[in-house]
Amino acid sequence: MPTLYALKPAFQDRLRPLVDRLAAMGVTANSITMLAAALSIATGVAIAMAPGSRLLLLLVPLVLFMRMALNAMDGMLAREHGQASTLGMYLNEICDVVSDLALILPFAAFPQFGAWAVVAFAVAAMLAEFAGVLGVAAGTGRNYAGPFGKSDRALGLGVVAALCAIGFWPASIAPFVFPAMATLSLLTAINRIRTGLTGNTG
């Protein structure tokens, strides 16, 4: 299914000169991975402590974009500069899930969305990533199939945060936003499992 992940090669091409310079400076893929997680956690904690701050909400789309860039960069450092490691694999997957939770769960404090709907989205997002990682164990490789992968979730959450910051959330729509994203995430998990099974049997 179509997903923003398809744009990753073009995004990486733009980042490659910067990644090459960082590699020459001795910057490691694991340090970039940890930086992305720390940035996400700090942002999530700040929003949880001050859920009414429009400035913090406006920062969310920027932080999500920076996280996507950092995630692309750590992968390029690992693959293109000989920094791939088992530790890096664990850090990459665990930090991605932790970062997702850090940025999603603070929205549970926004009554217009419903705390359980936000938690459901967070759980569904974890399931989608878990299903993707299981592709490695299934022998089909890490699965990034859509329709609502990491990049798509970042776009969706960024739009939610921006609209919250400007106060544009019709009461009739807000309760359905996170359930819709949770549903799309569950469909993503199912699609990744189906892809893995097809790869195993075909």
Side-chain angles (χ1 to χ4, degrees), residues 189-202:
I190 292 168
N191 192 38
R192 291 177 177 182
I193 293 169
R194 183 187 297 119
T195 301
L197 292 173
T198 301
N200 278 339
T201 59

Side-chain angles (χ1 to χ4, degrees), residues 33-103:
T33 302
M34 296 297 289
L35 175 61
L39 180 63
S40 300
I41 293 168
T43 303
V45 169
I47 293 172
M49 293 178 66
S53 172
R54 293 193 174 190
L55 177 59
L56 289 174
L57 288 171
L58 285 173
L59 284 176
V60 170
L62 176 61
V63 169
L64 285 164
F65 179 79
M66 291 176 63
R67 179 188 162 198
M68 292 298 102
L70 291 170
N71 284 344
M73 290 164 62
D74 67 10
M76 295 169 70
L77 283 167
R79 290 188 303 273
E80 300 176 11
H81 295 276
Q83 297 185 18
S85 67
T86 302
L87 173 61
M89 178 192 69
Y90 277 103
L91 282 176
N92 186 62
E93 299 297 343
I94 292 173
C95 286
D96 270 352
V97 171
V98 170
S99 296
D100 270 350
L101 293 177
L103 291 170

